[in-house]
Amino acid sequence: MANKTYNALGMKINSDGKKTLTLNLSESEMQVLDELAVKKDLSKTAVLRQALRLYQMVEARLSAGEKLVFENEKAQKKAELMVL
Amino acid sequence: MSAIPIKIVRHQPREVVDAVLLTDLLPGVLIETEKEWGPIRREAGRRLHRQGRFQDLPEHFAWDWGMKSQKLQFLAYMCFGIEYAQKMQGLLMVKVAGNYARLDPDKGKELVYVDYLEAAPWNVVPLVDEPGFRGIGPMLMKTAVELSYDEGFHGRVGLHSLPQAEEFYRDTCGMQGCGQDPNYQNLPYYEMTRDIAQRFTSKSKGDGK
C-alpha cells in the first residue's frame, strides 16, 4: 500500500504522486455518484476522474467560443447545452 | 514522467534488449521526437515517391507530434513512449475520457481511445528495408490495453485506423471492425472488447512481446 504524507493544505499525498481529497456530498449527489458508478461499472473515484477530464475539455472549448450541442440522429433533434 | 523497464526485440542481430516504457510524456518530449522523426519520415516518403512505390507511401506522412503535443494540456490525453539508447522507438497518444464502447456487452461504457500510434520511422517497413526493432506497435497497443485495465475499463480500446494499418489492428491485435465512420473522415473504426483484450494480452505474454 502506498505511504501517505500531508501537504500544506492538509491533503494526503500518496507515494505514487496521487493526492487524496476528502469530498463532502449531499445525499442526492452521493446517490447520483453511486448510480453512475454502477451504470458505468467504475469506481466512484474513476467516475469523478472522468467527470473532471470531461469538464476541463468542455470548459476550454466553451471559453474558445464553441458551443456544446447534443444530437439525437433518430429524432433528428439538436439541442444546445446551456452552460452558465 | 516515469520509466518502466520492458524488453523489445532488435531485428538484426535478432536479440532481446532492455528498453523503457515512458509514461505521462510531456509536450517537450514529443516536440524533440518530431525533430528527429519528421525529416526521416519525409525523406523516406520522397524516396518511395521517386521509386514509384506510391502504394507504399505512408498515410501518416504529414503527422506532426509537435502539433499533437498541444492536446496534452488536457487531462483526458496521455502519451507514452518506448525508448532505447536515448532514442524514441515508438509513441502512443490516448484519450481516456469521452469515448464509449460501441460493441456489446459493454456498449456505452468508457474505453481507452487510441488517438495516434506510430513506430519510429527506422522501425517501419517500407520506410526502411530492415526495421531496427520489431513489435513496437503491439507493445504500444498492449500499453493501451494495460492502461484500460488500470482505468477500470476492463481492457476496452477503440480507434480509427488508417487503411494501411487495418491489417495490424484486425489481424495482429484481433480487434473487431465496426465499419467506416462517417463522423470521422470515413475511417474504419475498430474496437477491442474485454474478451478480445484478454486474448490479446495473454497472446502477447506468450510471444514474449
Side-chain angles (χ1 to χ4, degrees), chain A residues 7 9 13-14 18-20 23-24 26-27 30 32-33 39 44-45 48-50 56 60 62-65 78 84:
Chain A
N7 69 5
L9 297 172
I13 303 172
N14 301 328
K18 289 185 176 166
K19 296 173 183 175
T20 304
L23 187 64
N24 294 315
S26 68
E27 195 170 322
M30 184 59 90
V32 169
L33 181 55
K39 183 181 178 187
K44 282 181 263 193
T45 298
L48 290 173
R49 195 177 283 137
Q50 287 297 99
Q56 186 202 25
L62 290 173
S63 296
K78 269 189 185 179
L84 302 175

Side-chain angles (χ1 to χ4, degrees), chain A residues 57-81:
Chain A
M57 279 196 297
V58 168
E59 179 58 26
R61 298 189 76 155
L62 290 173
S63 296
E66 297 184 57
K67 289 178 181 175
L68 182 59
V69 174
F70 284 92
E71 183 176 9
N72 185 329
E73 284 184 347
K74 282 182 185 165
Q76 294 193 320
K77 281 199 306 190
K78 269 189 185 179
E80 180 185 341
L81 180 70

Side-chain angles (χ1 to χ4, degrees), chain B residues 24-201:
Chain B
D24 298 313
L25 292 181
L26 298 173
V29 178
L30 273 61
I31 291 165
E32 289 305 310
T33 301
E34 182 59 33
K35 282 182 188 170
E36 184 168 28
W37 288 10
I40 299 171
R41 194 197 298 121
R42 287 188 289 275
E43 176 50 36
R46 282 192 287 269
R47 178 176 53 80
L48 290 168
H49 192 271
R50 282 196 304 273
Q51 294 171 348
R53 296 165 61 185
F54 304 114
Q55 75 283 359
D56 289 337
L57 284 171
E59 290 165 338
H60 64 287
F61 185 73
W63 278 15
D64 183 339
W65 284 93
M67 294 294 290
K68 297 181 196 312
S69 71
Q70 293 174 17
K71 292 186 174 185
L72 294 179
Q73 67 183 295
F74 297 112
L75 295 170
Y77 288 88
M78 298 180 191
C79 202
F80 299 82
I82 294 174
E83 190 182 69
Y84 174 78
Q86 280 80 54
K87 282 186 179 292
M88 203 62 81
Q89 304 295 332
L91 284 175
L92 167 73
M93 185 180 284
V94 295
K95 187 164 169 263
V96 290
N99 293 85
Y100 306 94
R102 301 181 187 186
L103 296 175
D104 289 327
D106 293 332
K107 191 174 178 180
K109 291 180 182 169
E110 276 72 6
L111 53 67
V112 168
Y113 179 78
V114 173
D115 208 11
Y116 303 103
L117 184 155
E118 184 182 6
W122 52 82
N123 292 327
V124 179
V125 178
L127 295 185
V128 290
D129 294 330
E130 298 283 337
F133 294 93
R134 304 185 76 95
I136 298 296
M139 180 69 76
L140 291 170
M141 276 303 291
K142 192 182 164 211
T143 301
V145 176
E146 293 294 341
L147 176 66
S148 177
Y149 284 125
D150 288 348
E151 291 286 331
F153 302 166
H154 301 280
R156 293 186 296 269
V157 173
L159 56 87
H160 289 88
S161 172
L162 291 171
Q164 283 175 340
E166 274 192 273
E167 188 182 337
F168 168 70
Y169 293 119
R170 185 186 57 233
D171 299 340
T172 304
C173 304
M175 297 177 80
Q176 186 170 333
C178 301
Q180 313 291 123
D181 188 344
N183 296 316
Y184 197 92
Q185 301 164 43
N186 218 30
L187 288 175
Y189 177 77
Y190 281 84
E191 199 166 287
M192 188 175 282
T193 61
R194 59 168 75 195
D195 288 342
I196 296 172
Q198 201 168 24
R199 284 198 295 273
F200 176 64
T201 48

Side-chain angles (χ1 to χ4, degrees), chain A residues 34 37 75:
Chain A
D34 282 333

